[in-house]
Amino acid sequence: AQSVTQLDSQVPVFEEAPVELRCNYSSSVSVYLFWYVQYPNQGLQLLLKYLSGSTLVKGINGFEAEFNKSQTSFHLRKPSVHISDTAEYFCAVSALSGTASKLTFGTGTRLQVTL
Amino acid sequence: DTAVSQTPKYLVTQMGNDKSIKCEQNLGHDTMYWYKQDSKKFLKIMFSYNNKELIINETVPNRFSPKSPDKAHLNLHINSLELGDSAVYFCASSSVQGAWVDTQYFGPGTRLTVL
């Protein structure tokens, strides 16, 4: 069984400030981790993913995340946010289920960027 | 070009009606999924098909019936709609080869409102 915990439901931050969105996971099999972003009234867009290799993963729009196996975490960071980063962010863990991959999502973190 | 498309974008209907949501992907993927996002933004997988074969079937009422006429299409038919079915439904697709987990690409969503 796998699960994802996003510890913060909302994160308010001022523009140009750094931000970290926290994600902890549990999985009994090989870990594949994803961060998706959902802008208002839109679908989910992939920000970045960890499948294997380097634990520091860089994604789109200046975001990055670090896979930490000992702490079972995959926190998302950005050194300087913009108003346009205001959105819902979802952490997810994936595991193979036959010939499909089953994504289990966290409950989401609402990032609110203000001037 | 739209990678994963869904129709309709909005669907408003009365309780007890039957409705369908269509999904198409032009990414050449062999696996497609349906997810439900509730009013609290929680995302949960419902079904997954690989090459027209049902792979994942979560605990979903049998009023929901997915149909995959070919590997590029996965439609969702819902019978006897209930108020609790109101949600945003997302279609997604991915490529799964052996033990390799690939990214799932999401459609724009269909907002279903049951009155």
Side-chain angles (χ1 to χ4, degrees):
Chain A
Q2 51 193 23
S3 66
V4 174
T5 302
Q6 290 184 246
L7 298 164
D8 306 300
S9 60
Q10 293 188 64
V11 173
V13 64
F14 290 111
E15 192 176 38
E16 297 183 6
V19 71
E20 177 179 85
L21 306 184
R22 297 181 293 170
C23 172
N24 287 90
Y25 68 90
S26 68
S27 177
S28 57
V29 294
S30 298
V31 176
Y32 307 98
L33 293 158
F34 301 79
W35 274 99
Y36 283 87
V37 60
Q38 185 178 27
Y39 298 104
N41 298 313
Q42 293 188 29
L44 282 83
Q45 181 181 1
L46 179 72
L47 270 180
L48 48 79
K49 60 186 176 184
Y50 172 79
L51 302 180
S52 65
S54 173
T55 57
L56 183 62
V57 180
K58 293 192 182 296
I60 62 170
N61 301 340
F63 284 94
E64 64 180 31
E66 184 154 19
F67 171 61
N68 188 319
K69 188 174 182 178
S70 62
Q71 296 186 10
T72 60
S73 67
F74 191 55
H75 300 331
L76 181 70
R77 301 185 184 98
K78 186 170 182 177
S80 176
V81 295
H82 301 285
I83 291 284
S84 59
D85 292 324
T86 294
E88 194 85 24
Y89 291 78
F90 293 94
C91 182
V93 61
S94 179
L96 279 176
S97 178
T99 51
S101 63
K102 181 178 173 181
L103 271 177
T104 300
F105 285 90
T107 49
T109 298
R110 169 79 177 163
L111 176 63
Q112 182 69 49
V113 182
T114 54
L115 294 172
Chain B
D1 284 344
T2 303
V4 182
S5 59
Q6 296 178 229
T7 54
K9 189 170 175 62
Y10 299 96
L11 185 53
V12 181
T13 188
Q14 300 285 335
M15 270 198 313
N17 285 349
D18 303 338
K19 290 293 179 185
S20 292
I21 306 171
K22 295 185 176 182
C23 177
E24 177 181 2
Q25 56 94 5
N26 63 7
L27 296 167
H29 290 159
D30 47 19
T31 306
M32 296 184 71
Y33 310 79
W34 276 109
Y35 288 84
K36 178 180 179 180
Q37 185 175 45
D38 63 22
S39 59
K40 295 185 178 180
K41 299 280 188 179
F42 185 62
L43 278 151
K44 186 170 168 54
I45 191 167
M46 300 173 70
F47 302 103
S48 175
Y49 268 73
N50 176 274
N51 281 321
K52 303 195 295 178
E53 179 186 357
L54 181 64
I55 303 300
I56 295 173
N57 186 352
E58 292 293 289
T59 308
V60 177
N62 57 15
R63 297 182 295 103
F64 289 79
S65 53
K67 287 182 170 51
S68 181
D70 56 62
K71 72 174 190 176
H73 296 83
L74 181 62
N75 303 324
L76 184 65
H77 188 76
I78 316 170
N79 290 326
S80 304
L81 277 155
E82 300 177 357
L83 292 176
D85 298 332
S86 295
V88 181
Y89 293 85
F90 286 101
C91 178
S93 73
S94 73
S95 180
V96 177
Q97 297 175 1
W100 184 253
V101 173
D102 203 353
T103 305
Q104 289 187 26
Y105 294 89
F106 284 77
T110 296
R111 182 175 295 276
L112 171 65
T113 303
V114 182
L115 303 174

